[in-house]
Amino acid sequence: MKKAVLILAMMFSVGMLAQNTEPTLEKVGKMVKATYFHENGDIAQTGYMLNGKLHGQWFMYNKEGKKIASGKYVDGKKSGKWFFWEGEILKEVDYADNRIVNVKNWNKSEVVSINF
């Protein structure tokens, strides 16, 4: 069940990029800052691109403006620690070469680790 919820969260984050939204793009040095919006005009995602690939810190928000995910891309691949908020639970997901290597579920009173 926990694995299924995590997969849905990741599909949601990828699905947001695939939607037909009109992002704003702003050149910042060698990078491009991209901001994607929900249909209601609120920010859905914001982060950077380098040479046409996702690169650097990214943040994702739900339609109510609450942060639902944050993490880092390196050359278009998820890298390092990512965090996914699901109600009262915080999922800490470690990535290496765009693959999940460890998951910790943080609840108010306990930590559950899942190693891959």
Side-chain angles (χ1 to χ4, degrees), residues 33-61:
K33 181 178 180 184
T35 304
Y36 293 83
F37 299 92
H38 289 289
E39 291 177 5
N40 65 6
D42 288 344
I43 294 174
Q45 293 190 41
T46 186
Y48 292 88
M49 290 189 243
L50 181 64
N51 300 323
K53 295 180 182 178
L54 303 176
H55 192 83
Q57 194 68 35
W58 275 79
F59 297 95
M60 299 163 208
Y61 304 89

Side-chain angles (χ1 to χ4, degrees), residues 13-73:
S13 67
V14 171
M16 290 300 297
L17 288 174
Q19 288 183 1
N20 192 13
T21 59
E22 294 294 325
T24 60
L25 303 173
E26 173 187 353
K27 187 153 176 66
V28 179
K30 293 182 178 182
M31 299 179 65
V32 174
K33 181 178 180 184
T35 304
Y36 293 83
F37 299 92
H38 289 289
E39 291 177 5
N40 65 6
D42 288 344
I43 294 174
Q45 293 190 41
T46 186
Y48 292 88
M49 290 189 243
L50 181 64
N51 300 323
K53 295 180 182 178
L54 303 176
H55 192 83
Q57 194 68 35
W58 275 79
F59 297 95
M60 299 163 208
Y61 304 89
N62 66 15
K63 290 182 180 180
E64 290 77 40
K66 291 186 178 188
K67 190 183 326 178
I68 56 172
S70 71
K72 183 177 179 182
Y73 284 97

Side-chain angles (χ1 to χ4, degrees), residues 51-100:
N51 300 323
K53 295 180 182 178
L54 303 176
H55 192 83
Q57 194 68 35
W58 275 79
F59 297 95
M60 299 163 208
Y61 304 89
N62 66 15
K63 290 182 180 180
E64 290 77 40
K66 291 186 178 188
K67 190 183 326 178
I68 56 172
S70 71
K72 183 177 179 182
Y73 284 97
V74 175
D75 290 327
K77 296 179 181 180
K78 289 182 179 174
S79 178
K81 289 194 183 299
W82 276 71
F83 297 94
F84 298 90
W85 288 265
E86 297 174 5
E88 297 293 320
I89 296 174
L90 170 63
K91 292 187 180 288
E92 178 182 326
V93 182
D94 292 317
Y95 285 89
D97 197 28
N98 212 35
R99 295 182 358 193
I100 297 172

